[in-house]
Amino acid sequence: MDEQQLFELRRALHQIPELGFQEKKTQERLLTEISKLPQTHLEVQTWETGVLVRVQGSNPTETIGYRADIDGLPIKEETGFPFTSQHDGKMHACGHDFHMTIAIGVLSFFASQQPENNLVFVFQPAEEGPGGAKPMLESELFQAWRPDKMIALHIAPEYEVGTIATRPGLLFANTSELFIDFYGKGGHAATPHQANDMVVAASHFVTQLQTIVSRNVSPLDSAVVTIGTISGGTKQNIIAEHARVEGTIRTLSQTSMQQVKERIESLLSGMEVSFSCETKLDYGANYLQVYNHEEETNAFLQYLEDRGDVDVVVCREAMTGEDFGYFLDEIPGLMFWLGVHSEYGLHSSKLDPQEEAISQAVKVLTGYLS
Ligand SMILES: [Zn+2]
Ligand SMILES: [Zn+2]
């Protein structure tokens, strides 16, 4: 596929963002695109709303997996693109339209020029939630085609177009969502002694949470506990019987994730006693860290250096989460950032990644997988 065809595909995919495990139109479009390629060495299968394509190698010594995530986000697009999202309130604000397009670009190359090794292209649903990597990894189909190593990329708005950034070891944090409900007793605002105010309870909890990172996690480790929303009550003169806080936890180690969760649970038991309320805790989607295997990452960095035409950055780890970590927990490999230069960041309603990065990534990946 030439550059223009790739850009067109990206724009078409950009217009139909779908949430996790609802990627029906996206799957259909991917299947259509794949069906246009020479099929001689290809085997195509679907898993849920995802797609897997196996390319038979000419003289295989191993099978290499390439993963692209395919879901969008519940964000109202504000880019003003002529190819803006046609799905109201949904947007490809994390660049998964880029990820799919790059994967199709690489696949189209190998559909016409048979690679030496077997390749498996993994179009994975639900990265943003509830998490497609883990069930896909465990699926019979994936296990039957199980790669010996895997690679994936994520666009990076903060880097110049085409820059590649990665590091051996930890790249992305351990993450967990956090949803807590507080149940008390409502009442008239003027008679607080007859009620049990959950706005006060939730407020105390949010304040207490702040000591977890400052007082429980080692200063040499790192963690983030962010509460993004707090809601409760129905009216200004009624004491709230219910309040809810929603947030996220990010840690650099699995141990500190465990510690943070234990502290949250202890704080909540304390809240139940001191505010005579009931609490319900839900960790939602949990993502394992993305840990780049040393050998594969160094080999990839060496390949880039040998090419000599790529700006390479050995970056620091980030507190972002990615469910590709589940693949890397079982299969050696790596993930890397691809610079797309956008003033607005990931998950922004104005994310504006530069399409030139698509052709750059296809070139680099076809070379690496050849
Ligand atoms: Zn995202
Ligand atoms: Zn993403």
Side-chain angles (χ1 to χ4, degrees):
M1 282 167 89
D2 64 26
E3 195 169 60
Q4 213 44 50
Q5 289 171 311
L6 289 173
F7 293 177
E8 274 164 28
L9 174 60
R10 181 263 161 161
R11 291 169 188 203
L13 291 166
H14 188 83
Q15 288 182 289
I16 52 163
E18 294 165 297
L19 302 184
F21 290 124
Q22 297 166 21
E23 305 96 331
K24 288 257 164 23
K25 286 190 202 167
T26 306
Q27 183 188 48
E28 209 174 293
R29 180 68 206 234
L30 290 170
L31 289 171
T32 308
E33 222 45 57
I34 295 162
S35 71
K36 291 182 202 160
L37 305 173
Q39 302 289 307
T40 344
H41 323 297
L42 305 192
E43 210 177 323
V44 185
Q45 295 277 357
T46 59
W47 174 85
E48 302 282 334
T49 44
V51 180
L52 285 111
V53 185
R54 188 176 180 281
V55 186
Q56 177 61 48
S58 57
N59 189 17
T61 50
E62 59 180 355
T63 300
I64 310 170
Y66 181 73
R67 176 274 208 168
D69 43 10
I70 69 171
D71 54 326
L73 282 158
I75 291 176
K76 189 165 172 49
E77 181 161 350
E78 292 178 313
T79 57
F81 289 156
F83 52 90
T84 194
S85 166
Q86 289 171 354
H87 293 173
D88 198 30
K90 294 179 192 131
M91 177 185 173
H92 269 300
C94 200
H96 301 181
D97 50 345
F98 268 55
H99 301 171
M100 287 184 269
T101 306
I102 292 164
I104 291 283
V106 178
L107 173 61
S108 85
F109 176 88
F110 289 114
S112 13
Q113 300 194 35
Q114 191 179 20
E116 203 170 294
N117 282 313
N118 302 323
L119 303 177
V120 174
F121 288 82
V122 179
F123 294 91
Q124 179 217 304
E127 192 281 325
E128 300 288 356
K134 200 163 185 275
M136 196 174 202
L137 173 71
E138 287 163 357
S139 72
E140 244 173 71
L141 175 62
F142 184 87
Q143 287 301 330
W145 287 358
R146 190 186 164 94
D148 302 303
K149 63 182 187 195
M150 283 194 82
I151 184 164
L153 65 78
H154 202 293
I155 65 157
E158 64 273 33
Y159 290 109
E160 283 311 311
V161 175
T163 297
I164 287 179
T166 190
R167 72 191 301 271
L170 186 77
L171 186 68
F172 295 164
N174 295 273
T175 71
S176 171
E177 293 177 334
L178 182 62
F179 303 101
I180 302 162
D181 289 287
F182 296 84
Y183 299 100
K185 187 165 174 266
H188 195 287
T191 54
H193 57 293
Q194 288 167 358
N196 197 2
D197 190 344
M198 288 306 101
V199 164
V200 175
S203 307
H204 270 266
F205 174 72
V206 172
T207 309
Q208 283 188 20
L209 262 191
Q210 308 309 314
T211 63
I212 295 182
V213 172
S214 67
R215 285 297 170 264
N216 299 125
V217 175
S218 159
L220 298 180
D221 203 341
S222 272
V224 172
V225 182
T226 291
I227 298 299
T229 74
I230 173 163
S231 58
T234 48
K235 200 167 182 292
Q236 128 282 349
N237 62 357
I238 300 173
I239 288 173
E241 61 175 11
H242 171 245
R244 179 175 169 89
V245 300
E246 302 186 350
T248 179
I249 312 167
R250 314 274 161 125
T251 68
L252 289 187
S253 71
Q254 284 168 267
T255 322
S256 45
M257 177 58 78
Q258 203 44 47
Q259 278 172 353
V260 168
K261 285 186 171 176
E262 278 165 20
R263 284 302 299 148
I264 289 174
E265 286 154 32
S266 309
L267 288 180
L268 284 178
S269 336
M271 301 293 302
E272 290 192 341
V273 176
S274 52
F275 288 88
S276 312
C277 63
E278 271 180 43
T279 64
K280 200 177 108 238
L281 168 65
D282 176 7
Y283 289 122
N286 285 252
Y287 288 170
L288 201 62
Q289 63 197 13
V290 173
Y291 197 90
N292 282 342
H293 294 239
E294 203 119 327
E295 202 183 314
E296 282 70 23
T297 312
N298 287 331
F300 183 66
L301 287 168
Q302 186 62 50
Y303 157 75
L304 295 176
E305 198 186 312
D306 292 346
R307 284 186 67 97
D309 61 350
V310 186
D311 284 328
V312 182
V313 175
V314 178
C315 61
R316 287 211 55 177
E317 58 274 54
M319 280 294 184
T320 32
E322 239 292 347
D323 70 353
F324 186 62
Y326 288 106
F327 289 108
L328 290 189
D329 194 42
E330 285 202 13
I331 298 169
L334 73 139
M335 182 161 217
F336 65 88
W337 290 111
L338 168 72
V340 292
H341 185 76
S342 162
E343 199 185 321
Y344 300 96
L346 296 175
H347 294 205
S348 159
S349 58
K350 293 183 177 165
L351 177 75
D352 178 19
Q354 302 306 301
E355 288 174 331
E356 290 67 38
I358 294 174
S359 8
Q360 168 79 350
V362 170
K363 201 169 64 179
V364 167
L365 284 164
T366 45
Y368 175 70
L369 297 170
S370 285

